[in-house]
Amino acid sequence: MDTVHAPSPRPLNVQAPAAPLSGAVTVPGDKSISHRALMFAALARGETHISGLLEGEDVLRTADAMRALGATVVRTGPGAWHVTGRGIGQLQEPADVLDMGNSGTAARLLSGILASHGIFSVMTGDASLRGRPMKRVTDPLAATGATFLSRVGGRLPLAIRGVADPAPLSYRLPVASAQVKSAVLLAGLNAAGTTRVEEPVATRDHTENMLRHFGAHVTVEPLGAGGRTITLAGRPELVARDVVVPGDPSSAAFVLVAGLVVPGSAVTVRGVGLNPLRTGLFTTLREMGADLRLSNERIEGGEPVGDLTAIAGPLHGVDVPADRAPSMIDEYPVLAVAAAHATGPSRFRGLEELRVKESDRLAATVALLERNGVTVQVVGDDMIVTGTGGAVPGGGVVETRMDHRLAMSATVLGLAASAPVGVDDTAFIDTSFPGFIDLMNGIGAGLGA
């Protein structure tokens, strides 16, 4: 299976460019919103037109899965897709195994949908996804009445016997996770009654926004110190609505951090999604002294959008609270790269969620920095990076562990290092940011030259 699905390794040797980075670019569509747009369109009645969809491997796996479940999913142009939905409770049993590739988001959200339909299904993925835990999703979903059979630790392949009349769920998340929250809410769509989720810290709310966009009744109330209670009325009639996908802030992060750490650079990313539950990185970079400028603010598809410009300059260390982690959980590797260039130590608190990403991202980020001469340590679930106050030494080879964000973070590190940085494999970048190398070369990175 690995031989069939794993792309051939693409190593890269990254060194500082001959000139500063400059220019304006548009990054691919938001991955989180792209996954959800396809899923909700498939569950709605009618025809949905999606523009700006991320066409990376992860999202294409979701498109394939929704086709296998009976929706009509057609690409009509670059980033433009047309979906004819089946309606809630009307998905058909797939004829074959659903291969989710490298996408933990797709696998976890789809588990909620599959648990609440009276069909049998099996999900698998690549070697990385098959190594990631699913019990934190399947344990709460089992209360619907669905049954799950998996490898030890809840790992894929995962067989699901869904139920046509699922019980509504009431669940308090032990650790803040937008994916687990979303899986529970998606299961609640086909349940008679009210589904309720409590999260200790507010996580990205694209699922709640898109539920409302398609006609579901969702309420959100504050809970304790920064938490929220989300309530969903079951069995709504989801109605097809067009979706405009903004630029992914997690993808924009790599371009912007490169612009901040490569001396003399000034780069702009147009049309970035600015959902306040996704912008913790931008807040943190500004606290570090980053010259990060926002312009052309607007609303598109129910989400705030704007253009961001990063201008290189000195950074200083910061102490980032744990309650900010959910708003920037995917950005910590590249934030650690920024911290490596800052003056003084930076402490990033409450990173337990990083241990169950595409890789153990906490350990992998530490290894990325240590191999390139940066002092870093982990204390409990906190990461402490001691910045160099300028260019990092570099000279190491980074093991990306089939993780696209580690590969891109290592690339950014190499652009501002004193010695070249080796990246063992950049093939998996395409799962979330197709065209990353070409885009960076377009602003002067000189990668692969």
Side-chain angles (χ1 to χ4, degrees):
M1 184 173 292
D2 294 341
T3 302
V4 173
H5 297 298
S8 299
R10 293 202 297 265
L12 185 67
N13 195 48
V14 183
Q15 56 188 351
L21 306 179
S22 64
V25 298
T26 301
V27 298
D30 186 286
K31 187 165 75 158
S32 296
I33 295 175
S34 293
H35 282 302
R36 289 162 173 80
L38 289 167
M39 291 181 183
F40 282 108
L43 292 169
R45 291 196 177 275
E47 299 182 0
T48 293
H49 296 274
I50 304 170
S51 58
L53 188 86
L54 170 63
E55 293 178 331
E57 182 67 22
D58 280 11
V59 175
L60 297 181
R61 297 285 183 167
T62 294
D64 288 343
M66 303 325 291
R67 284 193 197 97
L69 293 167
T72 301
V73 183
V74 179
R75 183 179 187 268
T76 58
W81 291 68
H82 177 264
V83 181
T84 303
R86 300 273 300 187
I88 292 173
Q90 301 303 310
L91 297 181
Q92 69 182 26
E93 188 165 284
D96 204 346
V97 173
L98 302 172
D99 188 341
M100 309 318 299
N102 190 246
S103 182
T105 300
R108 291 175 179 133
L109 269 60
L110 193 58
S111 294
I113 295 174
L114 295 171
S116 55
H117 282 72
I119 59 178
F120 173 77
S121 57
V122 178
M123 281 196 296
T124 190
D126 66 13
S128 172
L129 184 58
R130 294 199 308 274
R132 289 178 244 168
M134 290 285 288
K135 281 182 65 63
R136 63 198 186 111
V137 176
T138 58
D139 282 354
L141 291 178
T144 62
T147 56
F148 300 89
L149 185 63
S150 70
R151 294 165 58 225
V152 174
R155 289 171 168 80
L156 301 183
L158 176 68
I160 304 172
R161 172 65 71 183
V163 287
D165 189 20
L169 302 177
S170 182
Y171 186 66
R172 180 177 177 85
L173 296 172
V175 176
S177 169
Q179 292 180 2
V180 178
K181 171 184 69 175
S182 297
V184 172
L185 291 173
L186 284 165
L189 281 173
N190 196 34
T194 300
T195 290
R196 185 171 179 269
V197 182
E198 294 182 1
E199 54 182 1
V201 178
T203 64
R204 59 182 67 177
D205 59 355
H206 302 307
T207 296
E208 297 94 308
N209 291 345
M210 198 161 289
L211 280 167
R212 296 189 192 97
H213 185 66
F214 280 90
H217 182 66
V218 180
T219 60
V220 179
E221 298 178 353
L223 174 68
R228 305 190 310 168
T229 300
I230 302 100
T231 303
L232 167 69
R235 292 186 175 167
E237 182 70 17
L238 295 188
V239 179
R241 293 284 304 276
D242 291 350
V243 178
V244 178
V245 180
D248 195 325
S250 297
S251 295
F254 301 101
V255 183
L256 294 170
V257 171
L260 293 172
V261 300
V262 176
S265 298
V267 297
T268 297
V269 183
R270 298 181 293 249
V272 180
L274 297 174
N275 184 302
L277 293 174
R278 292 287 302 282
T279 55
L281 173 75
F282 306 145
T283 299
T284 303
L285 289 173
R286 289 191 176 102
E287 289 177 354
M288 296 174 74
D291 189 348
L292 198 59
R293 305 177 186 183
L294 173 63
S295 60
N296 196 21
E297 294 182 76
R298 55 202 186 273
I299 300 293
E300 291 183 356
E303 295 273 351
V305 176
D307 302 342
L308 283 168
T309 299
I311 299 174
L315 303 174
H316 56 78
V318 288
D319 191 321
V320 182
D323 61 9
R324 193 178 296 169
S327 69
M328 52 193 276
I329 196 65
D330 287 328
E331 286 80 76
Y332 277 105
V334 76
L335 177 59
V337 170
H341 292 82
T343 299
S346 292
R347 185 166 189 146
F348 308 118
R349 300 179 183 271
L351 305 188
E352 61 268 23
E353 177 75 1
L354 282 186
R355 301 185 191 275
V356 292
K357 287 293 186 179
E358 279 79 343
S359 61
D360 179 344
R361 273 202 189 137
L362 188 53
T365 300
V366 168
L368 183 158
L369 297 180
E370 285 183 336
R371 291 191 176 191
N372 287 282
V374 180
T375 300
V376 56
Q377 61 179 315
V378 174
V379 178
D381 290 321
D382 298 355
M383 178 171 60
I384 304 169
V385 179
T386 301
T388 63
V392 303
V397 176
V398 176
E399 293 182 9
T400 56
R401 310 186 190 191
M402 301 172 69
D403 190 323
H404 50 118
R405 299 196 193 281
L406 285 172
M408 288 185 281
S409 298
T411 301
V412 174
L413 182 78
L415 291 174
S418 297
V421 172
V423 186
D424 73 341
D425 190 4
T426 62
F428 285 89
I429 290 175
D430 288 344
T431 65
S432 70
F433 199 149
F436 170 74
I437 299 295
D438 288 343
L439 182 145
M440 294 300 295
N441 284 341
I443 58 174
L447 301 174

